[in-house]
Amino acid sequence: MDSIVPCLDLNLYTEPNSSSSTDIPQKITPKIEPIDEPSPFLPSTTHQIPSVTPPSEPDVSSEFNRISELFRTTFAQRLQKYGEVAMLPDVDSNSGAIVPYNNPEAQVANAVISPRVGRKNDQRSSELVRVTDLRPEDHLCFRGRIRRTRLLFDSLRAFLVAQIEKGRDSLTPQRRLRVDLKVAQLMKKQGLWLYRDKRIVGAIPGVSIGDVFFFRMELCVVGLHGQAQAGIDYVPASQSSNGEPVATSIVVSGGYEDDEDAGDVIIYTGHGGQDKHSRQVVHQKLECGNLALERSMHYGIEVRVVRGLKYEGSTHGKVYVYDGLYRVTDTWFDVGKSGFGVYKFKLVRFENQGQMGSVVLKFAESLRTLKLDAWPKGYVSLDLSSKKENVPVFFFNDIDEDHEPLYYEYLTSSRFPLHVYDHGAKGIGCDCVGGCSDICSCANKNGGDFAYDLNGILVRGKPLIFECGPHCQCPPTCRNRVSQKGLRNRLEVFRSQETGWGVRSLDLIQAGSFICEFTGIVLTHDQAQIFTMNGDSLVYPSRFPDRWAEWGDLSLIFSDYVRPVYPSIPPLDFAMDLSRMRNVACYMSHSSSPNVMVQLVLFDHKNISFPHLMLFAMENIPPMRELSLDYGMADEWTGKLSICN
DNA sequence: GAAACTTCATATTT
DNA sequence: CAAATATGAAGTTT
């Protein structure tokens, strides 16, 4: 069962008319582009290929029409010739040619990621599998694996960025470093790239539609798209059981001028034919990814689509969004805008998939500038914080008339008992008048490092972080003030059928960045006792598990990694009263695989028993996706995750 | 806009 | 002949 299709004639793609190959002119005139290696679908006399410019000459397009026609008829002929044997199952077929995907048990076993064995040089397996019908617990398992992998990628990147920043002085010229590549390389060396032992056709288990990636390499690491640069990923002919390549995923990043992206329907340009400056300068050939995409159409193989989108706020102005599965429905040879031959592929999105992530991103972005009367129905309040936060906190409910969140006073920062501040200002802050550097006394309290990189990304979770604060001499722009500055993303409290209340963001939140504080009136142990007797429910911060330890846990990369234990702090012994004053954080739902975590921070006083509860993103959180926290509650799946590891 | 960068497929050499 | 090595093409990020 390891072959995807019965064997075909391996000579299918070699030039059938070998006698004529020596007649092909290498150069005719500077204006005419010879095709060095004619595809079998082109006429053997290639010197009639149209001139470079101008593209609009009538004989040019007619010549291309002729070639295009020939291309089509050759497809048809081949289909006629091989169609009856070369059939891969469609999604609903149970021919079994793709290694088992009708047996739920087998699917999981089949696609479980195991350490590479027996394969040399980190090569990917050529074995095609499709993973379907995941049970909820399977999905959680795969999701967890993706999550841990991405957590490692993101936090390893933050770590390396911080290291580089630290070693850099202002005199030496800045080296341009590709930290993303470094991260990918390190992870690959440790065998941490996912799905290398199977080629997955269709969805990657654990990757959801709408998942957002900041780096192209991250797509490789999670197995979504295996090419570091090329837009078409495929099983090469040499690895395929029948000698034919098969495409499994594409990235639509706008690098080709002839692409037409209408969302559900994409006219995708094949790759090749470009010069260093991404201009089409020669005709494309039907080979590599182009041929593979054509084969995927022939066999009805679904293709994953990732879109590269412009996005302000990303370090390089671009993000990648997984938009789901498409099928190739048509292909033809065309004259591109620059006048050279390009292969085109029509891709149509499968129905009944979730909304496209790229659409959600664009929608959330459009809300920035949209007039209020054009907003969707359901916005009860446009700012729960009444302008106390930097950005509005929206309140959305299109389900019922429950307006409860409106009835609380909004608290931007936790209110501690007065005695917490009762120590005088001596020895609290640093004296870095001109801005903080490595020798800053606050940095020293963190163990000699700043907890954040220059972009404000948390480098590594710690038991407690010391930020500079009101008692420091440094300016408010100091790099060591991140969580005290309040919201940066437009958050939204919303009514949900499943979770009652929930929180989501209208902005894309990058992994490792600060989201908001979890605020309330802080009660000492004794005060809390009295409250509990009155029947009021309180939140006990000590119940939040140490999720911070996961952010920046590099033990899989560096064998000498030790989990940070400094500074050691006593167990939290206070409660938070949310009965009158609260902020957006308390509406976050619980999850045992949360995308938000608690990091304790101190900045306006020095009592380590009463730190602020600051919330940071553990993943890249796309707009409109629900934020979740681990409140330390038992989870119904907890006992069933043993198949994971 | 140029340089740095990595992977992969294929071609070539040992 | 298999393994090692070289080359070119792919496109993103700084």
Side-chain angles (χ1 to χ4, degrees):
Chain A
M1 288 300 252
D2 57 352
S3 68
I4 58 161
V5 270
C7 267
L8 292 183
D9 178 9
L10 289 174
N11 290 324
L12 195 57
Y13 295 107
T14 55
E15 172 56 68
N17 192 358
S18 56
S19 61
S20 68
S21 59
T22 51
D23 304 333
I24 296 170
Q26 291 305 302
K27 287 252 190 283
I28 299 171
T29 77
K31 280 215 141 191
I32 294 184
E33 291 289 317
I35 291 184
D36 302 328
E37 298 162 32
S39 131
F41 313 116
L42 295 175
S44 54
T45 51
T46 56
H47 55 277
Q48 289 304 319
I49 296 297
S51 61
V52 179
T53 51
S56 51
E57 272 178 35
D59 63 321
V60 173
S61 50
S62 68
E63 175 64 14
F64 269 100
N65 286 339
R66 196 175 68 75
I67 295 170
S68 182
E69 185 57 33
L70 190 83
F71 185 71
R72 281 171 185 284
T73 54
T74 323
F75 278 164
Q77 284 163 6
R78 280 193 310 165
L79 204 66
Q80 203 175 12
K81 187 173 174 190
Y82 300 105
E84 73 278 9
V85 289
M87 289 306 290
L88 258 186
D90 269 329
V91 182
D92 55 0
S93 156
N94 58 1
S95 102
I98 284 186
V99 203
Y101 62 91
N102 285 321
N103 171 352
E105 297 299 327
Q107 288 155 24
V108 177
N110 205 18
V112 150
I113 305 88
S114 50
R116 305 181 318 280
V117 260
R119 245 172 322 112
K120 50 188 191 292
N121 299 336
D122 288 325
Q123 266 195 3
R124 282 204 283 177
S125 160
S126 60
E127 186 183 354
L128 280 185
V129 294
R130 184 186 276 126
V131 186
T132 57
D133 298 332
L134 289 179
R135 295 167 300 178
E137 59 267 40
D138 297 334
H139 179 76
L140 269 179
C141 170
F142 287 119
R143 184 80 190 159
R145 196 187 306 269
I146 294 277
R147 201 174 148 274
R148 286 194 298 276
T149 303
R150 299 195 62 187
L151 200 63
L152 182 58
F153 187 100
D154 290 329
S155 55
L156 180 55
R157 185 177 169 279
F159 174 78
L160 291 181
V161 165
Q163 279 226 318
I164 291 161
E165 284 171 355
K166 201 179 169 193
R168 182 148 62 202
D169 58 64
S170 50
L171 298 175
T172 47
Q174 295 201 1
R175 277 208 65 200
R176 292 147 186 261
L177 287 172
R178 291 284 303 274
V179 180
D180 54 311
L181 297 181
K182 202 75 197 160
V183 170
Q185 192 188 47
L186 279 168
M187 288 181 71
K188 187 165 198 184
K189 212 165 72 185
Q190 299 299 324
L192 295 171
W193 287 28
L194 300 183
Y195 305 114
R196 296 225 109 207
D197 60 340
K198 297 278 190 294
R199 292 274 191 158
I200 296 183
V201 166
I204 299 292
V207 176
S208 308
I209 287 175
D211 280 358
V212 174
F213 303 80
F214 281 90
F215 299 94
R216 187 64 189 248
M217 286 312 291
E218 223 176 337
L219 304 175
C220 299
V221 172
V222 301
L224 200 54
H225 185 81
Q227 301 284 124
Q229 298 173 237
I232 306 169
D233 192 23
Y234 59 102
V235 185
S238 60
Q239 282 183 38
S240 163
S241 56
N242 69 338
E244 293 187 69
V246 180
T248 51
S249 64
I250 63 167
V251 177
V252 190
S253 51
Y256 283 87
E257 58 191 4
D258 298 310
D259 283 353
E260 293 166 49
D261 187 358
D264 285 335
V265 179
I266 305 169
I267 307 296
Y268 189 74
T269 313
H271 60 190
Q274 292 188 334
D275 68 359
K276 279 265 176 216
H277 312 286
S278 302
R279 287 183 298 237
Q280 291 297 143
V281 288
V282 289
H283 304 302
Q284 290 184 344
K285 296 174 186 170
L286 190 62
E287 59 188 25
C288 301
N290 298 347
L291 181 57
L293 261 184
E294 188 275 319
R295 292 287 81 193
S296 283
M297 176 183 81
H298 176 54
Y299 292 125
I301 297 273
E302 62 270 37
V303 175
R304 294 183 292 271
V305 170
V306 176
R307 280 194 170 77
L309 302 174
K310 274 194 167 52
Y311 196 87
E312 299 298 325
S314 159
T315 49
H316 45 274
K318 204 167 191 182
V319 293
Y320 297 92
V321 188
Y322 174 54
D323 267 347
L325 301 177
Y326 287 62
R327 70 156 66 88
V328 190
T329 61
D330 197 9
T331 175
W332 63 97
F333 195 56
D334 206 352
V335 191
K337 287 187 172 136
S338 300
F340 294 96
V342 291
Y343 285 97
K344 288 198 170 172
F345 302 92
K346 182 177 181 185
L347 290 111
V348 180
R349 193 167 191 257
F350 281 89
E351 303 205 340
N352 302 322
Q353 304 187 84
Q355 199 175 15
M356 279 188 283
S358 56
V359 169
V360 178
L361 267 172
K362 285 173 189 162
F363 163 77
E365 193 136 67
S366 75
L367 284 187
R368 273 181 206 281
T369 49
L370 206 62
K371 281 186 185 156
L372 284 183
D373 50 3
W375 279 48
K377 270 192 151 170
Y379 281 95
V380 180
S381 160
L382 293 174
D383 190 1
L384 276 181
S385 87
S386 314
K387 298 221 188 323
K388 286 179 185 168
E389 298 278 14
N390 314 320
V391 289
V393 178
F394 300 104
F395 172 38
F396 180 87
N397 184 353
D398 64 347
I399 293 180
D400 55 34
E401 294 301 309
D402 195 333
H403 291 174
E404 197 202 343
L406 291 174
Y407 307 143
Y408 299 89
E409 189 174 339
Y410 196 93
L411 190 62
T412 55
S413 189
S414 280
R415 192 166 292 176
F416 292 96
L418 282 178
H419 78 268
V420 169
Y421 303 94
D422 190 21
H423 45 56
K426 225 181 279 176
I428 299 186
C430 64
D431 306 317
C432 315
V433 179
C436 295
S437 63
D438 289 353
I439 53 165
C440 163
S441 63
C442 296
N444 271 332
K445 287 191 223 162
N446 288 316
D449 293 317
F450 289 112
Y452 313 107
D453 73 10
L454 292 174
N455 292 312
I457 300 290
L458 182 66
V459 176
R460 178 200 292 182
K462 291 182 177 183
L464 179 63
I465 284 173
F466 296 91
E467 292 191 3
C468 294
H471 305 292
C472 294
Q473 300 300 309
C474 58
T477 52
C478 163
R479 61 172 294 187
N480 196 28
R481 299 165 186 254
V482 170
S483 66
Q484 60 190 275
K485 289 186 183 168
L487 297 194
R488 287 195 299 188
N489 302 295
R490 296 167 301 163
L491 300 181
E492 173 171 308
V493 176
F494 70 102
R495 191 76 167 143
S496 147
Q497 300 280 15
E498 295 82 31
T499 56
W501 297 110
V503 179
R504 59 196 178 195
S505 169
L506 296 184
D507 298 301
L508 170 57
I509 304 176
Q510 184 170 3
S513 54
F514 171 70
I515 298 177
C516 66
E517 181 172 353
F518 192 109
T519 70
I521 308 285
V522 172
L523 303 179
T524 61
H525 182 90
D526 294 341
Q527 291 171 320
Q529 300 266 307
I530 301 166
F531 251 80
T532 318
M533 279 187 279
N534 289 344
D536 284 305
S537 61
L538 302 175
V539 169
Y540 292 91
S542 58
R543 293 198 188 148
F544 289 111
D546 287 345
R547 287 285 180 177
W548 55 263
E550 292 175 34
W551 180 257
D553 182 342
L554 306 179
S555 52
L556 289 172
I557 300 290
F558 306 118
S559 52
D560 56 346
Y561 179 84
V562 284
R563 171 177 162 152
V565 289
Y566 179 88
S568 62
I569 56 168
L572 298 181
D573 191 27
F574 62 87
M576 303 191 72
D577 168 23
L578 310 178
S579 61
R580 286 169 300 130
M581 302 173 80
R582 49 173 68 174
N583 75 343
V584 54
C586 67
Y587 297 102
M588 286 186 195
S589 308
H590 165 77
S591 169
S592 60
S593 57
N595 51 22
V596 179
M597 65 178 191
V598 176
Q599 167 67 62
L600 303 177
V601 175
L602 227 50
F603 63 92
D604 54 350
H605 65 74
K606 65 173 183 182
N607 191 329
I608 58 171
S609 297
F610 291 91
H612 290 269
L613 276 59
M614 299 303 192
L615 305 187
F616 286 79
M618 301 183 82
E619 308 173 6
N620 299 327
I621 306 175
M624 308 310 283
R625 179 167 295 176
E626 181 158 11
L627 274 52
S628 59
L629 258 179
D630 187 349
Y631 288 90
M633 296 149 66
D635 189 281
E636 58 176 310
W637 295 118
T638 323
K640 301 182 185 172
L641 289 175
S642 49
I643 55 167
C644 238
N645 288 312

